[in-house]
Amino acid sequence: MWVSQISEEDLTNEIIDRLLFEGLEDTGENADCIIVLGSIKATKYRVPVAVNAYHAGRANKIMLCGGALRDFPNGKSKEAEHMYQRAVELGVPKENIILEKTSQNTMENILCALIELQRVFWLNRVQKVLLVTTTYHMRRSLMIARYLFPVHIDIVPCSADDENTKRENWMNSSEGMERARGEALNIVRCVKNGVIPDFEI
């Protein structure tokens, strides 16, 4: 089934599961940089996964993306700045962290990450990146990145599970169902609006 053919009424649990989760396993490859997309809960779920990959030697740099100003328990800060504090606490040297503090959403995370990659590495020298985001958010993020990044850069998914939207439990709670269905609809809209190319599931 092509995503462009999916209507809201077509979104059964099986279709949502395939759309969000199928074929997105982490291959374990090394890369030039780990890119972490921002969110209000990125510090809890995404940063530890990225730091584990860093400590495993999969990349020498971590880029933290997110310019949205959020209310965190310790005060207001941008997503990237909040993630930065956690990454440092978890043992990543400050000189190996790249901050992207401009983007306001997923699309801008990817676009602004490209600018930072150019500034730090030069894009022509980047061969591969690890993309870290929450598991249910990975499909859309990966499709956007693969559409916008130069074709010579390989993008490896490195997903971070949250509590309610894992592949094995998203359908077991109203919160998980709402998030998964909403994200599936986002993907369908992105395809129909031409934000990302159509694809089959």
Side-chain angles (χ1 to χ4, degrees):
M1 175 184 289
W2 288 91
V3 175
S4 61
Q5 298 171 338
I6 297 174
S7 67
E8 188 168 353
E9 293 72 29
D10 293 325
L11 289 176
T12 61
N13 284 6
E14 180 187 356
I15 293 295
I16 292 171
D17 183 77
R18 282 162 52 195
L19 188 56
L20 296 190
F21 301 106
E22 198 164 271
L24 294 177
E25 292 77 19
D26 184 352
T27 60
E29 297 170 76
N30 293 343
D32 299 292
C33 187
I34 301 163
I35 298 175
V36 189
L37 304 189
S39 81
I40 195 164
K41 294 185 177 179
T43 298
K44 182 175 181 180
Y45 299 116
R46 303 177 189 184
V47 172
V49 168
V51 170
N52 285 343
Y54 172 85
H55 286 313
R58 296 183 63 187
N60 294 323
K61 297 283 187 182
I62 294 181
M63 185 188 303
L64 306 173
C65 300
L69 191 62
R70 303 281 197 174
D71 284 311
F72 294 105
N74 57 346
K76 281 191 175 184
S77 69
K78 292 185 175 184
E79 292 168 342
E81 293 168 339
H82 196 249
M83 289 191 285
Y84 173 82
Q85 296 301 325
R86 185 61 179 145
V88 171
E89 288 172 6
L90 292 173
V92 181
K94 295 178 181 180
E95 62 268 21
N96 289 338
I97 300 174
I98 305 161
L99 288 184
E100 183 286 297
K101 300 188 291 182
T102 304
S103 60
Q104 299 293 310
N105 53 49
T106 301
M107 177 68 77
E108 292 184 9
N109 281 174
I110 301 299
L111 286 169
C112 294
L114 275 172
I115 294 171
E116 295 302 326
L117 285 174
Q118 169 64 23
R119 289 173 175 170
V120 175
F121 298 97
W122 288 24
L123 284 175
N124 60 299
R125 296 178 180 172
V126 177
Q127 297 181 348
K128 190 172 296 184
V129 299
L130 298 186
L131 185 66
V132 178
T133 189
T134 315
T135 305
Y136 78 96
H137 183 240
M138 179 59 79
R139 175 79 68 193
R140 180 162 56 100
S141 304
L142 189 64
M143 292 298 295
I144 291 171
R146 286 179 172 165
Y147 186 51
L148 295 177
F149 270 46
V151 293
H152 73 273
I153 299 178
D154 189 21
I155 303 156
V156 177
C158 184
S159 299
D161 278 332
D162 63 2
E163 293 170 3
N164 299 311
T165 330
K166 302 175 187 177
R167 187 170 195 179
E168 64 268 20
N169 75 354
W170 67 267
M171 71 296 291
N172 296 335
S173 68
S174 57
E175 183 179 3
M177 288 280 288
E178 183 179 351
R179 282 185 187 169
R181 187 175 182 82
E183 182 60 23
L185 283 171
N186 270 338
I187 294 170
V188 172
R189 289 190 198 105
C190 281
V191 167
K192 290 184 177 181
N193 290 336
V195 175
I196 56 176
D198 201 4
F199 62 98
E200 282 187 284
I201 61 165

